Amino acid sequence: MSDPARTPNPASLAFAEDLFAEWQIDPASVSPDWRAYFESLPEARKHTAQVGPKFQNYSIFNPPELHATSANGTAHTALAAGDVAAQQDKVDQLVRSYRVRGHLIAKIDPLERPRPQLSELDPASYGFGEADLDRHFSTSQLFGPSTMTLRQILEKLRATYCRSIGVQFMHIDDLARLNWLRERMEGTGNRLELSRDEQLRILTKLTDATLFEEFIQKKFLGAKSFSLEGSESLIPLMDLAIERAAGQGITDVVVGMAHRGRLNVLANVMHKGARQIFREFADVDHALYRMGGDVKYHLGYTSEYETAAGAKLAISLCFNPSHLEFVDPVAMGRVRARDDNERAREGGLPSSLTMLIHGDAAFAGQGVVQETLNMSQLPGYNVGGTIHVIVNNQVGFTTDPQDGRSTTYATDVARMLQCPILHVNGEDPEAVAQTIRLAMDFRKTWRSDVIVDMYAYRRRGHNEGDEPSFTQPRMYETIRARKTVREGYLDHLLQLGGVTRADADAIEEQCRAQLEVELDASKSKDYVYQSSALGPAWKPYKGGRDADVPEVPTVFPKERLAKLLDATTHSPADFVVHPKLVSILERRTEMATGARPLDWAAGEAAAFATLAVQGARVRLSGQDCERGTFSHRHAVLHDIETGRRHMPLAHLDPEQGPIEIWNSPLSETGVMGFEYGYTLEQPEALIMWEAQFGDFVNAAQVIIDQFLVSAEEKWKRLSGLVLLLPHAFEGQGPEHSSARLERFLQLCADDNIQVANVTTPAQLFHMLRRQVMRPWRKPLVVMTPKSLLRHPRAVSTLDDLAEGHFHRILADVPPEGTTRRENVSRVLLCSGKIYYELEDERAKRKADDVAILRLEQIYPLQERDLKDAFGAYGNDVPVVWVQEEPANMGAWQHLLVRFGPRIVGRPFSSATRAAAASPATGSPTSHKIEQQEVLDRAFGRA
């Protein structure tokens, strides 16, 4: 070599070696300089180990031009190394563009509407022409051979990312996940090779789905069924997912979905007998549903599923109202509860799967979806990954996508997660099969959510009586011209030759015959309606009337109670507690010895601790609930030097039940829904959701209305969820005063829930223990205090906990040295914090003729309890209900509607704030004036 500056480095030599070998260049045919380079390669091999994969560092190679002839006589002109590097860089850009943007031109829309033309996916935009298509380039960025022609590269990219599957995955920051997906997709061209048996199974499921819908339309003319027609691939998709799940060790599947396609899923996935569905259409068992029940396409079901390999899974389809997506956190809560049970028993990995079936408009439009996605990876709510399937009808009722979302896809909100979003053409069942297999494997590997966006359409309108062409005339002109998904897939199979028309006809004939058998059976006079019964875990528990279920002892031995309360103050020897917390824990220790009365936090901690050591699970979640919004709980301690966390309640006894206290995301709907779902699977546990302020419960009203208070009547489903809602008027303004007690009371009927506003730690202790120990399972709504958390008179003794019980009504406290108050001329009936203000006012006024009773449980309220409470006073003594809330809020209207102007025979009136549109004033001074006016009216001095 004449020019030392051109001596190649080891990376250059590695490039030369790979280039010559790939192009089959005879070393003898190269120019002298190149021959010198090539002959030096063996000597330089020891350096190539530092170079890495082939061509990785070729851009530093800058030799003179190479003119050579390959072994087959083809002339090659090797570009100058700088040009080679630039060309390779453009190929790498093209590869990345297909991964990032290929989904935008993929054929995912079965209606074949135009897709955008993207210049970044056109090789001409990078300066490549026809002559370049057969040039070889490095493919170290692609899964497969180390080099390929540009034509082969484009074919591979288009097959992987632009056929019936479009993938969004380049937003994932985790390189390991990214490479896992890349290899799985590019290694197969994102396509499954199905056996004949697998193809026949898909065809059978499509036949079942298609004929089920057609049969209903013919036999029940005009009936609403919210048909799956146009989206029938959902049935084989779910079938394939369950089959895959069984092979991955899953034993339980919980499905949440809205009404579209629900009947088809019930019949062809859940195996609910079609005869029962047909009987529900006929509505011949209406007497079973007087003042209860739900429409057939909201009902849930639980069944045992047997896979092709003989494995058995328990599958539950959640009951769901029309509030579409609000079942999502409920289903997740159910799975978390099942997995927590499984881990407690076996100590292994979770074996339950959540599958959520969404609509495209609802997924984009309803905020609970974002809340659910955000919860998915949080330690208190993680379920090991959820499979989300969007049945994308490309229309929401009558609203086009451009009017229903601001994003390209309905799924764009899901890009917040480190998970793939797989868009697939629902008219290509084999692409659907590949997509769900990829989704299931990703979930198993990474314990992460996956989104499958199955593009389809709605062959009929929003319901079977709707005319969709009123609002989407062009879309429905296209839909009417299309074959069914089954017919399209059958054409594909016939072309392949593995399945015959006779095979398909036999499948269809068998399906039609079975549907006729089921219809005949549904009309039988001997038919016995089958309800989806509660699982075995619910056998010891019941709902129904409060009066039919006796109270139970809630006491706990005093000596052991004291030890447990003391244990809640302990932390490891090397744990450094915040100095301000030391005094709080020391006061708790004094409470345990009886030297100090118990405050609210101690009563609560005692309830949690005693239940746990008796084997019950205790779970509390909510915003800032570890410390408590009002800095009273401090259930989880933080080492001020290391940040290490310690929860004393979890270290009481080696055999205790689990205690979990989780700070939740800033969400009400999602978290309350999750905890409600949790209670459906663990009836023996104390499960609580706490609002940061009681007012925030407003944001979870759908969960309250559609699940919590009505599920027993609609679906025969019980829950023991406890809502802890800080409530009291203390001058903190309209947003931090009221937990909307009146709304809960308006929803009370048939003893469906319990509503309480207790005033002592002992009452809280016995109430929470009663919630677990009594076999009556109803939600419990508690108006919890703020100022009473540290009120000097809102205290209890250890004896109150060890020997007492829950009082629905607390009697008046008579003057010291007496057993009752004499000559009572007025009874004040109240609930919550105002009791202590009324006591102070009575003392100030020396109104010894006034009795003050506390209604601790506002609902259910038995008249016999009121009679017993008022029995110490004359029959003509007036009763005044006193509340802090305006007259149109709080409990007054509820009590007035129930009792009218006389309560158990006595005159009944109220002392309240004036009716108002807002719960409270924002002025602390005005609050004090208003509060005094309520007290004045209570004592008849207004």
Side-chain angles (χ1 to χ4, degrees):
M1 291 207 159
S2 59
D3 183 359
R6 303 193 72 84
T7 301
N9 63 24
S12 304
L13 300 174
F15 177 81
E17 180 181 34
D18 287 336
L19 183 69
F20 292 167
E22 189 68 28
W23 285 2
Q24 303 177 41
I25 294 173
D26 180 359
S29 68
V30 299
S31 63
D33 284 344
W34 273 99
R35 189 159 46 251
Y37 293 174
F38 192 78
E39 288 171 353
S40 70
L41 281 175
E43 179 183 340
R45 277 192 183 279
K46 59 187 176 184
H47 300 292
T48 61
Q50 304 171 23
V51 176
K54 291 183 181 180
F55 307 110
Q56 182 173 324
N57 294 321
Y58 66 83
S59 59
I60 61 173
F61 178 44
N62 189 26
E65 288 189 358
L66 164 67
H67 297 279
T69 303
S70 68
N72 59 13
T74 304
H76 289 275
T77 300
L79 300 174
D83 291 336
V84 171
Q87 294 291 306
Q88 183 65 53
D89 184 59
K90 289 178 180 179
V91 170
D92 292 343
Q93 290 179 40
L94 183 61
V95 170
R96 178 174 175 80
S97 292
Y98 267 90
R99 289 174 179 154
V100 175
R101 309 269 285 166
H103 60 88
L104 291 171
I105 67 169
K107 299 178 178 61
I108 59 175
D109 184 0
L111 301 182
E112 301 176 341
R113 284 174 287 202
R115 300 287 277 166
Q117 298 298 312
L118 303 180
S119 60
E120 60 267 41
L121 302 182
D122 183 355
S125 298
Y126 299 85
F128 294 120
E130 184 68 28
D132 297 304
L133 293 179
D134 292 316
R135 285 181 52 205
H136 279 74
F137 291 91
S138 165
T139 51
S140 63
Q141 300 295 318
L142 273 171
F143 182 84
S146 59
T147 62
M148 296 171 68
T149 67
L150 180 57
R151 188 187 307 277
Q152 291 170 328
I153 292 170
L154 288 169
E155 288 173 353
K156 186 180 189 69
L157 292 170
R158 288 166 181 165
T160 302
Y161 299 115
C162 303
R163 285 193 293 181
S164 294
I165 301 173
V167 187
Q168 290 177 279
F169 72 112
M170 294 295 284
H171 60 278
I172 297 175
D173 298 324
D174 186 334
L175 189 60
R177 297 187 187 202
L178 204 67
N179 287 336
W180 187 96
L181 285 163
R182 180 178 65 84
E183 293 183 10
R184 286 293 299 265
M185 294 187 294
E186 292 171 4
T188 62
N190 227 356
R191 198 75 179 181
L192 274 181
E193 293 295 331
L194 297 177
S195 67
R196 181 178 183 277
D197 287 344
E198 290 170 323
Q199 291 173 334
L200 281 173
R201 187 179 180 94
I202 291 174
L203 179 63
T204 300
K205 291 298 177 181
L206 286 173
T207 302
D208 292 341
T210 302
L211 296 189
F212 177 81
E213 301 291 0
E214 292 177 359
F215 194 84
I216 288 176
Q217 297 305 316
K218 290 177 182 177
K219 302 297 183 179
F220 303 98
L221 296 175
K224 289 183 183 180
S225 66
F226 295 95
S227 161
L228 191 63
E229 290 168 281
S231 307
E232 293 94 337
S233 288
L234 176 65
I235 301 304
L237 180 153
M238 293 183 70
D239 175 69
L240 290 164
I242 294 167
E243 291 283 329
R244 194 77 171 175
Q248 295 174 348
I250 297 296
T251 59
D252 298 86
V253 180
V254 176
V255 181
M257 70 178 297
H259 46 272
R260 181 157 312 284
R262 190 180 190 88
L263 296 179
N264 211 313
V265 169
L266 282 166
N268 293 312
V269 177
M270 303 297 300
H271 302 307
K272 177 179 179 179
R275 64 187 62 184
Q276 186 158 328
I277 296 172
F278 297 156
R279 193 170 180 87
E280 289 163 358
F281 271 104
D283 199 21
V284 294
D285 298 303
H286 53 83
L288 298 174
Y289 301 108
R290 292 296 299 274
M291 297 300 294
D294 201 352
V295 292
K296 63 188 84 56
Y297 35 79
H298 289 168
L299 299 179
Y301 197 72
T302 298
S303 63
E304 186 176 72
Y305 187 103
E306 185 170 349
T307 69
K312 293 182 179 179
L313 296 85
I315 307 184
S316 297
L317 175 63
C318 296
F319 293 79
N320 191 39
S322 282
H323 285 72
L324 304 178
E325 298 293 338
F326 287 83
V327 75
D328 299 350
V330 175
M332 287 178 59
R334 291 185 67 180
V335 165
R336 175 60 180 255
R338 291 186 182 194
D339 281 342
D340 283 349
N341 265 338
E342 188 68 23
R343 276 191 288 260
R345 286 194 301 266
E346 307 295 339
L349 289 173
S351 59
S352 300
L353 167 69
T354 318
M355 180 179 290
L356 299 177
I357 314 299
H358 310 272
D360 51 311
F363 194 86
Q366 296 192 358
V368 67
V369 172
Q370 184 274 337
E371 293 187 25
T372 304
L373 295 172
N374 183 54
M375 291 162 61
S376 66
Q377 295 299 302
L378 303 180
Y381 312 93
N382 187 299
V383 295
T386 294
I387 298 294
H388 299 266
V389 179
I390 297 171
V391 179
N392 195 329
N393 292 309
Q394 307 187 68
V395 63
F397 201 163
T398 67
T399 302
D400 290 319
Q402 62 266 26
D403 298 319
R405 63 175 187 261
S406 298
T407 57
T408 302
Y409 293 112
T411 57
D412 282 345
V413 66
R415 287 167 62 110
M416 66 189 287
L417 297 184
Q418 296 286 290
C419 74
I421 301 170
L422 310 170
H423 308 279
V424 61
N425 189 322
E427 281 196 340
D428 186 342
E430 295 190 359
V432 170
Q434 160 66 7
T435 301
I436 194 59
R437 179 175 293 186
L438 181 66
M440 291 294 296
D441 291 353
F442 184 89
R443 175 204 172 271
K444 178 180 182 293
T445 302
W446 301 105
R447 313 299 297 169
S448 167
D449 289 27
V450 188
I451 316 296
V452 175
D453 181 15
M454 189 184 81
Y455 266 68
Y457 49 85
R458 196 182 63 196
R459 186 170 289 276
R460 300 181 184 274
H462 177 67
N463 61 59
E464 284 63 33
D466 183 44
E467 178 45 75
S469 62
F470 287 159
T471 46
Q472 281 78 30
R474 296 182 64 186
M475 179 181 187
Y476 276 87
E477 183 179 2
T478 302
I479 289 172
R480 281 190 290 269
R482 299 197 73 77
K483 294 180 177 180
T484 66
V485 179
R486 176 188 180 274
E487 290 169 341
Y489 186 54
L490 178 56
D491 289 345
H492 167 72
L493 295 181
L494 293 175
Q495 289 177 1
L496 293 177
V499 175
T500 67
R501 174 68 67 176
D503 294 329
D505 290 346
I507 292 170
E508 180 176 354
E509 182 179 347
Q510 182 179 358
C511 180
R512 289 189 188 280
Q514 184 60 37
L515 289 171
E516 291 289 352
V517 169
E518 294 291 308
L519 181 62
D520 290 342
S522 73
K523 299 175 182 178
S524 170
K525 294 180 180 179
D526 299 327
Y527 185 89
V528 177
Y529 190 87
Q530 301 293 319
S531 63
S532 185
L534 294 170
W538 282 93
K539 191 174 181 180
Y541 305 101
K542 63 179 69 177
R545 296 174 66 243
D546 173 37
D548 294 337
V549 182
E551 293 289 349
V552 296
T554 54
V555 296
F556 194 84
K558 181 178 177 180
E559 183 178 345
R560 193 174 182 207
L561 177 61
K563 290 180 179 179
L564 289 174
L565 195 56
D566 179 66
T568 66
T569 69
H570 295 177
S571 57
D574 61 344
F575 194 93
V576 185
V577 177
H578 194 286
K580 291 184 178 180
L581 280 180
V582 172
S583 60
I584 294 175
L585 296 175
E586 287 175 348
R587 287 198 295 272
R588 176 76 62 80
T589 300
E590 293 175 6
M591 295 175 195
T593 64
R596 179 188 291 270
L598 279 64
D599 62 12
W600 198 271
E604 179 191 79
F608 293 175
T610 54
L611 286 170
V613 298
Q614 288 178 303
R617 175 183 290 274
V618 176
R619 177 183 168 94
L620 168 63
S621 76
Q623 295 152 10
D624 310 295
C625 70
E626 291 183 358
R627 188 190 79 179
T629 300
F630 310 102
S631 198
H632 76 287
R633 182 173 290 125
H634 296 291
V636 178
L637 306 176
H638 297 257
D639 188 306
I640 61 172
E641 295 182 355
T642 66
R644 183 164 51 120
R645 296 152 59 96
H646 177 70
M647 184 166 66
L649 282 165
H651 302 277
L652 303 172
D653 188 287
E655 302 300 319
Q656 74 176 80
I659 292 188
E660 298 176 285
I661 298 179
W662 298 105
N663 280 346
S664 77
L666 197 64
S667 156
E668 289 82 32
T669 294
V671 178
M672 186 192 291
F674 188 97
E675 302 305 334
Y676 171 78
Y678 202 104
T679 66
L680 299 179
E681 300 295 332
Q682 291 208 16
E684 73 286 356
L686 177 64
I687 310 299
M688 298 161 286
W689 176 79
E690 183 174 65
Q692 188 179 76
F693 282 87
D695 314 62
F696 297 173
V697 76
N698 286 344
Q701 198 65 44
V702 172
I703 301 298
I704 295 164
D705 291 350
Q706 307 300 336
F707 292 95
L708 201 67
V709 303
S710 59
E712 182 179 2
E713 196 154 279
K714 291 190 298 188
W715 309 320
K716 308 303 180 190
R717 284 297 180 268
L718 304 177
S719 167
L721 181 64
V722 179
L723 305 186
L724 302 177
L725 311 178
H727 171 94
F729 284 53
E730 285 138 332
Q732 296 192 48
E735 305 309 319
H736 294 321
S737 295
S738 176
R740 297 294 187 175
L741 172 61
E742 65 279 357
R743 293 186 182 170
F744 290 101
L745 294 175
Q746 185 183 36
L747 295 168
C748 289
D750 298 326
D751 293 358
N752 59 331
I753 61 174
Q754 306 162 87
V755 180
N757 191 2
V758 297
T759 53
T760 71
Q763 280 285 85
L764 176 68
F765 172 83
H766 291 295
M767 179 180 63
L768 293 178
R769 285 179 56 78
R770 179 182 75 152
Q771 182 71 0
V772 174
M773 300 174 73
R774 197 178 183 212
W776 197 60
R777 281 296 171 268
K778 301 288 174 124
L780 170 62
V781 180
V782 186
M783 303 290 117
T784 56
K786 293 174 283 184
S787 62
L788 293 193
L789 296 172
R790 297 174 178 84
H791 196 287
R793 292 206 307 281
V795 294
S796 302
T797 67
L798 282 171
D799 288 335
D800 293 332
L801 277 57
E803 300 172 6
H805 63 89
F806 178 71
H807 297 267
R808 300 183 184 216
I809 300 176
L810 280 176
D812 185 41
V813 179
E816 188 174 351
T818 66
T819 57
R820 64 187 298 272
R821 199 172 292 275
E822 300 293 339
N823 303 317
V824 170
S825 63
R826 173 179 294 231
V827 173
L828 302 183
L829 184 63
C830 67
S831 185
K833 160 188 158 287
I834 200 169
Y835 164 73
Y836 293 98
E837 293 169 282
L838 289 170
E839 263 200 333
D840 290 341
E841 190 71 15
R842 180 172 62 183
K844 184 175 69 173
R845 293 173 181 267
K846 297 181 179 179
D848 290 337
D849 61 335
V850 175
I852 308 172
L853 277 65
R854 285 169 274 180
L855 187 56
E856 301 278 287
Q857 179 172 296
I858 307 171
Y859 188 86
L861 178 57
Q862 307 295 339
E863 286 198 23
R864 67 170 182 265
D865 294 327
L866 287 169
K867 289 179 180 178
D868 291 344
F870 296 152
Y873 316 113
N875 291 334
D876 58 346
V877 174
V879 177
V880 180
W881 172 258
V882 187
Q883 66 178 38
E884 301 181 285
E885 301 90 344
N888 58 319
M889 301 178 191
W892 169 237
Q893 294 296 326
H894 169 79
L895 295 170
L896 182 61
V897 167
R898 177 165 181 189
F899 296 107
R902 300 187 72 83
I903 183 167
V904 292
R906 293 164 171 79
F908 192 36
S909 61
S910 68
T912 73
R913 281 175 165 78
S918 180
T921 176
S923 162
T925 300
S926 291
H927 162 75
K928 291 177 182 178
I929 293 170
E930 291 176 2
Q931 197 78 349
Q932 186 59 50
E933 289 173 349
V934 171
L935 299 177
D936 289 342
R937 282 194 286 273
F939 285 91
R941 311 291 196 272

mmCIF file of all heavy atoms in Angstrom, residues 563-582:
data_model
loop_
_atom_site.group_PDB
_atom_site.id
_atom_site.type_symbol
_atom_site.label_atom_id
_atom_site.label_comp_id
_atom_site.label_asym_id
_atom_site.label_seq_id
_atom_site.Cartn_x
_atom_site.Cartn_y
_atom_site.Cartn_z
ATOM 1 N N LYS A 563 -52.285 -6.133 73.817
ATOM 2 C CA LYS A 563 -51.009 -6.530 73.210
ATOM 3 C C LYS A 563 -50.986 -6.223 71.717
ATOM 4 O O LYS A 563 -49.967 -5.776 71.183
ATOM 5 C CB LYS A 563 -50.767 -8.024 73.444
ATOM 6 C CG LYS A 563 -50.459 -8.380 74.898
ATOM 7 C CD LYS A 563 -50.220 -9.883 75.063
ATOM 8 C CE LYS A 563 -49.891 -10.228 76.505
ATOM 9 N NZ LYS A 563 -49.689 -11.689 76.700
ATOM 10 N N LEU A 564 -52.101 -6.472 71.043
ATOM 11 C CA LEU A 564 -52.167 -6.190 69.614
ATOM 12 C C LEU A 564 -52.066 -4.691 69.344
ATOM 13 O O LEU A 564 -51.376 -4.264 68.412
ATOM 14 C CB LEU A 564 -53.463 -6.744 69.018
ATOM 15 C CG LEU A 564 -53.569 -8.259 68.911
ATOM 16 C CD1 LEU A 564 -54.966 -8.663 68.453
ATOM 17 C CD2 LEU A 564 -52.529 -8.805 67.934
ATOM 18 N N LEU A 565 -52.745 -3.914 70.141
ATOM 19 C CA LEU A 565 -52.701 -2.469 69.950
ATOM 20 C C LEU A 565 -51.289 -1.955 70.163
ATOM 21 O O LEU A 565 -50.795 -1.095 69.414
ATOM 22 C CB LEU A 565 -53.674 -1.794 70.918
ATOM 23 C CG LEU A 565 -54.028 -0.336 70.643
ATOM 24 C CD1 LEU A 565 -54.594 -0.164 69.246
ATOM 25 C CD2 LEU A 565 -55.017 0.179 71.686
ATOM 26 N N ASP A 566 -50.609 -2.501 71.158
ATOM 27 C CA ASP A 566 -49.220 -2.120 71.399
ATOM 28 C C ASP A 566 -48.336 -2.538 70.224
ATOM 29 O O ASP A 566 -47.417 -1.807 69.831
ATOM 30 C CB ASP A 566 -48.727 -2.765 72.695
ATOM 31 C CG ASP A 566 -47.278 -2.414 72.984
ATOM 32 O OD1 ASP A 566 -46.991 -1.234 73.234
ATOM 33 O OD2 ASP A 566 -46.421 -3.330 72.926
ATOM 34 N N ALA A 567 -48.605 -3.714 69.656
ATOM 35 C CA ALA A 567 -47.792 -4.212 68.533
ATOM 36 C C ALA A 567 -47.897 -3.313 67.314
ATOM 37 O O ALA A 567 -46.975 -3.281 66.485
ATOM 38 C CB ALA A 567 -48.215 -5.635 68.176
ATOM 39 N N THR A 568 -48.985 -2.557 67.210
ATOM 40 C CA THR A 568 -49.131 -1.662 66.043
ATOM 41 C C THR A 568 -48.186 -0.470 66.122
ATOM 42 O O THR A 568 -48.121 0.318 65.177
ATOM 43 C CB THR A 568 -50.578 -1.149 65.912
ATOM 44 O OG1 THR A 568 -50.898 -0.314 67.030
ATOM 45 C CG2 THR A 568 -51.567 -2.295 65.828
ATOM 46 N N THR A 569 -47.466 -0.330 67.212
ATOM 47 C CA THR A 569 -46.514 0.781 67.362
ATOM 48 C C THR A 569 -45.076 0.349 67.136
ATOM 49 O O THR A 569 -44.172 1.177 67.150
ATOM 50 C CB THR A 569 -46.619 1.398 68.771
ATOM 51 O OG1 THR A 569 -46.126 0.460 69.741
ATOM 52 C CG2 THR A 569 -48.056 1.757 69.108
ATOM 53 N N HIS A 570 -44.840 -0.950 66.937
ATOM 54 C CA HIS A 570 -43.472 -1.470 66.878
ATOM 55 C C HIS A 570 -42.905 -1.400 65.453
ATOM 56 O O HIS A 570 -43.630 -1.572 64.463
ATOM 57 C CB HIS A 570 -43.422 -2.915 67.363
ATOM 58 C CG HIS A 570 -43.771 -3.053 68.819
ATOM 59 N ND1 HIS A 570 -43.856 -4.278 69.446
ATOM 60 C CD2 HIS A 570 -44.049 -2.136 69.779
ATOM 61 C CE1 HIS A 570 -44.176 -4.100 70.716
ATOM 62 N NE2 HIS A 570 -44.305 -2.808 70.932
ATOM 63 N N SER A 571 -41.609 -1.227 65.369
ATOM 64 C CA SER A 571 -40.888 -1.273 64.093
ATOM 65 C C SER A 571 -39.535 -1.919 64.340
ATOM 66 O O SER A 571 -39.099 -2.057 65.492
ATOM 67 C CB SER A 571 -40.722 0.141 63.525
ATOM 68 O OG SER A 571 -40.059 0.981 64.454
ATOM 69 N N PRO A 572 -38.835 -2.348 63.295
ATOM 70 C CA PRO A 572 -37.538 -3.010 63.485
ATOM 71 C C PRO A 572 -36.550 -2.122 64.251
ATOM 72 O O PRO A 572 -36.640 -0.886 64.236
ATOM 73 C CB PRO A 572 -37.065 -3.272 62.047
ATOM 74 C CG PRO A 572 -38.330 -3.307 61.242
ATOM 75 C CD PRO A 572 -39.249 -2.322 61.874
ATOM 76 N N ALA A 573 -35.600 -2.752 64.894
ATOM 77 C CA ALA A 573 -34.637 -2.038 65.737
ATOM 78 C C ALA A 573 -33.839 -1.006 64.948
ATOM 79 O O ALA A 573 -33.468 0.045 65.478
ATOM 80 C CB ALA A 573 -33.699 -3.039 66.414
ATOM 81 N N ASP A 574 -33.542 -1.305 63.669
ATOM 82 C CA ASP A 574 -32.733 -0.385 62.869
ATOM 83 C C ASP A 574 -33.583 0.582 62.061
ATOM 84 O O ASP A 574 -33.101 1.237 61.141
ATOM 85 C CB ASP A 574 -31.817 -1.174 61.932
ATOM 86 C CG ASP A 574 -32.598 -2.052 60.958
ATOM 87 O OD1 ASP A 574 -33.806 -2.286 61.191
ATOM 88 O OD2 ASP A 574 -32.007 -2.505 59.966
ATOM 89 N N PHE A 575 -34.868 0.670 62.377
ATOM 90 C CA PHE A 575 -35.799 1.519 61.623
ATOM 91 C C PHE A 575 -35.886 2.876 62.323
ATOM 92 O O PHE A 575 -36.143 2.953 63.523
ATOM 93 C CB PHE A 575 -37.179 0.856 61.583
ATOM 94 C CG PHE A 575 -38.125 1.432 60.574
ATOM 95 C CD1 PHE A 575 -38.208 0.894 59.307
ATOM 96 C CD2 PHE A 575 -38.937 2.515 60.901
ATOM 97 C CE1 PHE A 575 -39.094 1.416 58.375
ATOM 98 C CE2 PHE A 575 -39.822 3.043 59.979
ATOM 99 C CZ PHE A 575 -39.896 2.494 58.704
ATOM 100 N N VAL A 576 -35.679 3.946 61.568
ATOM 101 C CA VAL A 576 -35.668 5.294 62.143
ATOM 102 C C VAL A 576 -36.991 5.981 61.821
ATOM 103 O O VAL A 576 -37.241 6.369 60.680
ATOM 104 C CB VAL A 576 -34.493 6.131 61.614
ATOM 105 C CG1 VAL A 576 -34.441 7.483 62.325
ATOM 106 C CG2 VAL A 576 -33.172 5.381 61.806
ATOM 107 N N VAL A 577 -37.826 6.109 62.841
ATOM 108 C CA VAL A 577 -39.151 6.710 62.685
ATOM 109 C C VAL A 577 -39.028 8.225 62.714
ATOM 110 O O VAL A 577 -38.178 8.790 63.401
ATOM 111 C CB VAL A 577 -40.100 6.221 63.810
ATOM 112 C CG1 VAL A 577 -41.466 6.876 63.712
ATOM 113 C CG2 VAL A 577 -40.225 4.710 63.742
ATOM 114 N N HIS A 578 -39.891 8.905 61.966
ATOM 115 C CA HIS A 578 -39.921 10.361 61.964
ATOM 116 C C HIS A 578 -40.126 10.865 63.397
ATOM 117 O O HIS A 578 -40.975 10.349 64.136
ATOM 118 C CB HIS A 578 -41.058 10.853 61.069
ATOM 119 C CG HIS A 578 -40.979 12.315 60.744
ATOM 120 N ND1 HIS A 578 -41.274 13.291 61.655
ATOM 121 C CD2 HIS A 578 -40.632 12.957 59.592
ATOM 122 C CE1 HIS A 578 -41.116 14.475 61.100
ATOM 123 N NE2 HIS A 578 -40.716 14.308 59.856
ATOM 124 N N PRO A 579 -39.351 11.870 63.835
ATOM 125 C CA PRO A 579 -39.458 12.339 65.227
ATOM 126 C C PRO A 579 -40.873 12.733 65.637
ATOM 127 O O PRO A 579 -41.273 12.499 66.786
ATOM 128 C CB PRO A 579 -38.514 13.552 65.250
ATOM 129 C CG PRO A 579 -37.547 13.309 64.152
ATOM 130 C CD PRO A 579 -38.304 12.588 63.087
ATOM 131 N N LYS A 580 -41.635 13.320 64.730
ATOM 132 C CA LYS A 580 -42.993 13.734 65.090
ATOM 133 C C LYS A 580 -43.927 12.542 65.260
ATOM 134 O O LYS A 580 -44.954 12.656 65.924
ATOM 135 C CB LYS A 580 -43.548 14.683 64.036
ATOM 136 C CG LYS A 580 -42.868 16.044 64.020
ATOM 137 C CD LYS A 580 -43.516 16.983 63.018
ATOM 138 C CE LYS A 580 -42.858 18.356 63.052
ATOM 139 N NZ LYS A 580 -43.483 19.292 62.077
ATOM 140 N N LEU A 581 -43.556 11.427 64.650
ATOM 141 C CA LEU A 581 -44.384 10.232 64.803
ATOM 142 C C LEU A 581 -44.086 9.487 66.099
ATOM 143 O O LEU A 581 -44.926 8.716 66.572
ATOM 144 C CB LEU A 581 -44.167 9.283 63.612
ATOM 145 C CG LEU A 581 -44.908 9.605 62.325
ATOM 146 C CD1 LEU A 581 -44.572 8.573 61.259
ATOM 147 C CD2 LEU A 581 -46.403 9.637 62.572
ATOM 148 N N VAL A 582 -42.928 9.701 66.650
ATOM 149 C CA VAL A 582 -42.555 8.990 67.869
ATOM 150 C C VAL A 582 -43.566 9.275 68.976
ATOM 151 O O VAL A 582 -44.031 8.362 69.675
ATOM 152 C CB VAL A 582 -41.131 9.380 68.309
ATOM 153 C CG1 VAL A 582 -40.826 8.798 69.692
ATOM 154 C CG2 VAL A 582 -40.104 8.897 67.289
#
